[in-house]
């Protein structure tokens, strides 16, 4: 007899057994000066350890993957030591945590990369601006990656995965969503290459599949998840045929024993989640402004296996307990989402014991 999956019941996710189906969504918080994970971050993630799984904010696999102010990296020994403190804080409270590996590609400025050129599939700037300490600035025009540099970056993802395990983290999530480097390869407006990394949908999917395969070979597929956002135009993604683009993506990620597929459910014009259900063969996490009722409904219908919560996790360290009790949620303060200190980060109260 199969029971209806419940938000508060256990689930197997790749190599891990989770006590519940609630995931803390990856969220950039820009509190890592010097690109170093620190004690305040360890406290923040430790406070949220009752989640079934925490996915960290995006962390760069290479110096040229940095964008935004004060995001962490996972390529140096000092960064690995910083992540070790985060992993220890979460494990000490009985939790589980994956690092989200994010290479921003063209969504950056040279000032966030020690003055270096940005790299991306093609030399096409994204429309948009980025916050800097001296004001908003237009996103810079990147330089096109050479094929040799693409191979180097694939190895950087594998090494980032090894570094995550070395730090004591439980696995990694490849950030293939929201207009960053792997999504730039997928999108015809950002990828104008004529080699095997561009052109057909199969060629545009090649980079995301290659970095996932490399990470899986490095640490085991059951410790690697992938996040994608079909149909999301964020960060100047323009894809006139989402079905054409994402069919080889789903095929390329299916049947490999990956820990999960995580969708930012941007409601694309075709049923990409149904396609994933048919082929992927592992757990599906959905994220898109869920509340408890919608979460339970999507679990019950079989659309999702787990639900990721974003902004409600910013303001409710004990979100699992609050949802379970139908307790009121603290409202998140948008003014302290990015940058700053403990205010709006580690000072949201849990329910009184
Ligand atoms: C909002 C602000 C800064 C970063 C993403 C990493 O969209 C982000 C992000 C979102 O995945």
């Amino acid at each position: 007899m199969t029971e209806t999956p419940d938000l508060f019941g256990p689930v197997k996710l790749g190599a891990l057994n989770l006590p519940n189906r609630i995931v803390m969504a990856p969220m950039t918080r820009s509190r890592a000066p010097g690109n170093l994970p620190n004690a305040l971050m360890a406290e923040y993630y430790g406070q949220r350890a009752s989640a079934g799984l925490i996915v960290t904010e995006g962390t760069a696999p290479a110096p040229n993957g940095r964008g935004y102010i004060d995001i962490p990296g996972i390529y140096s020994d000092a960064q690995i030591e910083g992540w070790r403190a985060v992993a220890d804080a979460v494990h000490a409270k009985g939790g589980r945590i994956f690092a989200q590996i994010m290479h921003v590609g063209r969504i950056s400025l040279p000032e966030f990369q020690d003055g270096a050129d940005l790299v991306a599939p093609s030399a096409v700037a994204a429309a948009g601006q980025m916050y800097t300490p001296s004001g908003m600035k237009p996103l810079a025009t990147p330089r096109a990656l050479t094929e040799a540099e693409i191979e180097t970056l694939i190895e950087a993802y594998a090494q980032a995965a090894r570094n995550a395990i070395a730090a004591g983290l439980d696995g990694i999530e490849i950030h293939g969503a929201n207009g960053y480097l792997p999504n730039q390869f997928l999108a015809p407006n950002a990828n104008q290459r004529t080699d095997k990394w561009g052109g057909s949908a199969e060629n545009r999917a090649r980079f995301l599949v290659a970095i996932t395969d490399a990470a899986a070979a490095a640490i085991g597929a059951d410790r690697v998840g992938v996040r994608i956002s079909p149909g999301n135009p964020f960060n100047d993604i323009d894809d006139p045929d989402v079905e054409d683009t994402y069919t080889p993506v789903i095929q390329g990620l299916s049947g490999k024993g990956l820990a999960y597929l995580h969708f930012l459910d941007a409601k694309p014009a075709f049923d990409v989640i149904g396609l994933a259900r048919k082929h992927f063969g592992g757990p599906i996490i959905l994220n898109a402004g869920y509340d408890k009722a919608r979460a339970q409904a999507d679990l019950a219908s079989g659309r999702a296996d787990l639900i990721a919560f974003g902004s409600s996790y910013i303001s409710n360290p004990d979100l699992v307990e609050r949802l379970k009790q139908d307790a009121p949620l603290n409202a998140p303060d948008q003014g302290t989402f990015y940058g700053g200190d403990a205010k709006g980060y580690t000072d949201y109260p849990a329910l009184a014991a």
Side-chain angles (χ1 to χ4, degrees):
M1 201 180 92
T2 56
E3 287 174 42
T4 305
D6 182 73
L7 205 46
F8 308 102
V11 65
K12 190 167 153 53
L13 192 79
L16 305 182
N17 290 303
L18 314 187
N20 61 63
R21 293 171 186 260
I22 295 173
V23 176
M24 176 176 167
M27 287 176 287
T28 292
R29 302 302 307 274
S30 288
R31 282 169 169 87
N35 309 118
L36 278 175
N38 54 47
L40 185 65
M41 289 165 58
E43 184 185 352
Y44 164 76
Y45 286 113
Q47 288 174 339
R48 287 154 179 78
S50 61
L53 179 70
I54 293 171
V55 184
T56 70
E57 64 208 280
T59 185
N64 66 11
R66 291 172 293 174
Y68 302 106
I69 191 168
D70 294 344
I71 72 154
I74 191 160
Y75 49 83
S76 75
D77 289 341
Q79 290 163 348
I80 294 170
E81 289 318 303
W83 284 118
R84 190 187 314 285
V86 172
D88 288 350
V90 171
H91 292 154
K93 294 208 182 145
R96 295 137 303 273
I97 180 166
F98 273 30
Q100 194 200 47
I101 310 301
M102 173 174 81
H103 190 300
V104 298
R106 64 182 187 158
I107 307 300
S108 192
L109 295 169
E111 67 187 87
F112 295 125
Q113 299 185 8
D114 303 322
D117 293 342
L118 310 191
V119 292
S122 300
V124 183
Q129 297 192 319
M130 183 166 280
Y131 170 84
T132 80
S134 51
M136 298 298 287
K137 293 188 187 162
L139 292 166
T141 301
R143 171 173 77 64
L145 286 158
T146 65
E147 287 202 74
E149 286 173 324
I150 291 173
E151 299 295 347
T152 300
L153 270 182
I154 293 167
E155 172 50 28
Y157 276 86
Q159 188 58 44
R162 286 184 210 107
N163 292 350
I165 298 302
L169 298 159
D170 297 298
I172 64 144
E173 176 178 284
I174 301 273
H175 195 350
N178 300 354
Y180 302 105
L181 184 65
N183 197 175
Q184 290 159 30
F185 272 94
L186 294 178
N189 68 320
N191 181 353
Q192 301 178 352
R193 302 181 72 94
T194 54
D195 57 14
K196 71 178 183 190
W197 304 101
S200 69
E202 285 73 15
N203 282 357
R204 284 180 280 120
R206 193 181 305 282
F207 183 73
L208 175 57
V209 174
I211 59 178
T212 304
D213 287 347
I219 65 168
D222 59 357
R223 292 185 183 273
V224 175
V226 180
R227 180 168 165 93
I228 53 176
S229 58
N232 182 10
F234 186 58
N235 280 326
D236 195 20
I237 291 298
D238 182 11
D239 187 344
D241 192 341
V242 177
E243 180 164 7
D244 179 56
T245 296
Y246 280 87
T247 299
V249 171
I250 299 296
Q251 283 166 349
L253 299 176
S254 290
K256 294 178 168 172
L258 293 171
Y260 63 82
L261 202 50
H262 185 177
F263 286 89
L264 177 77
D265 189 6
K267 303 268 185 298
F270 90 110
D271 181 18
V272 65
I273 292 163
L275 188 72
R277 262 286 174 247
K278 206 152 126 197
H279 298 288
F280 176 62
I284 290 178
I285 307 177
L286 297 186
N287 169 230
Y290 275 92
D291 61 13
K292 178 177 173 176
R294 264 187 65 229
Q296 292 284 35
D298 275 5
L299 293 178
S301 74
R303 191 158 184 271
D305 300 298
L306 300 97
I307 303 293
F309 294 85
S311 58
S312 48
Y313 245 122
I314 288 180
S315 50
N316 297 278
D318 55 347
L319 184 67
V320 173
E321 194 54 35
R322 285 175 189 259
L323 292 177
K324 198 183 275 178
Q325 292 184 23
D326 292 313
L329 301 184
N330 302 314
D333 167 30
Q334 297 234 12
T336 49
F337 276 8
Y338 309 112
D341 50 21
K343 188 168 155 28
Y345 191 54
T346 51
D347 63 352
Y348 287 104
L351 293 167

